[in-house]
Structure formats: structure tokens, C-alpha cells
């Protein structure tokens, strides 16, 4: 018979990661109610600079930068909310995983380890 604190121990990392993902990364790129005032983002609007960053990756990202920017911002902003709530965690974990892979290989890797 599991104790209630065991469930809390499993939920705590998910809640913390979801909160940080949504409040810090997602809110800067995607218009959410708690987005910083200085970003001037409307609800579900992608930041003006984000598609330009995505287009610099080249390849298919240069062909559809607005789509990939919206998908990346959506997975960070809305995916974090769903992680906090514990709803659809596997599909959103996949979207966030893909977003982080793109960020690592196209943005961070060229800066070195």
C-alpha cells in the first residue's frame, strides 16, 4: 500500500520542471497571461525574434520558420502547464523532447561543451 508522500515525491520534479518551463522559457517566447510586460506579446502570439532565430538553423527550418517557432513555443509554454497538471504528460514530453533536441543540436552545440 503506497503512502501519499510517495506520489508527492514522483510529482514534485514534474511540477517544478513544468513550472520553470512555462514561466521562464515559454513565457518569453509565447504570449501567456504571465508573460513579462516588456515582451509585448498578445495571448498565444510568438515573439517577433523567435522565427528569425529558427530560420538561421537552415534546411526545413528556413522554409517554415513561423510554424517551427510556434510549435517550439507552444511545447514550452502549454506543455509546461500540462506537466504541472499531470495531463497528457507523454505527448507533451515528446514535444518538449524534440524541442530540446533541436535547441541542443542547432543552437547550443556550435557554442561548444
Amino acid at each position: 500500500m503506497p503512502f501519499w508522500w510517495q506520489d508527492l515525491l514522483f510529482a514534485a520534479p514534474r511540477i517544478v520542471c513544468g513550472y520553470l518551463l512555462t514561466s521562464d522559457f515559454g513565457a518569453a517566447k509565447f504570449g501567456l497571461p504571465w508573460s513579462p510586460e516588456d515582451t509585448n506579446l498578445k495571448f498565444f502570439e510568438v515573439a517577433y525574434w523567435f522565427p528569425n532565430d529558427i530560420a538561421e538553423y537552415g534546411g526545413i527550418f528556413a522554409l517554415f520558420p513561423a510554424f517551427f517557432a510556434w510549435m517550439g513555443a507552444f511545447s514550452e509554454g502549454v506543455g509546461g502547464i500540462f506537466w504541472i497538471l499531470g495531463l497528457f504528460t507523454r505527448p507533451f514530453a515528446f514535444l518538449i523532447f524534440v524541442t530540446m533536441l533541436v535547441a541542443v543540436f542547432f543552437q547550443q552545440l556550435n557554442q561548444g561543451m
Side-chain angles (χ1 to χ4, degrees), residues 20-90:
L20 291 174
L21 192 66
T22 299
S23 67
D24 191 28
F25 297 109
K29 298 175 192 144
F30 200 57
L32 295 168
W34 51 86
S35 292
E37 292 286 329
D38 57 344
T39 58
N40 296 325
L41 292 174
K42 295 180 180 70
F43 194 57
F44 286 156
E45 180 183 23
V46 175
Y48 70 92
W49 53 269
F50 195 42
N52 297 332
D53 282 359
I54 298 294
E56 291 177 7
Y57 298 160
I60 193 167
F61 297 107
L63 295 175
F64 307 105
F67 171 75
F68 286 110
W70 203 90
M71 289 303 294
F74 177 81
S75 70
E76 290 177 1
V78 178
I81 295 170
F82 276 79
W83 269 9
I84 293 170
L85 299 174
L87 301 172
F88 303 107
T89 54
R90 289 182 183 178

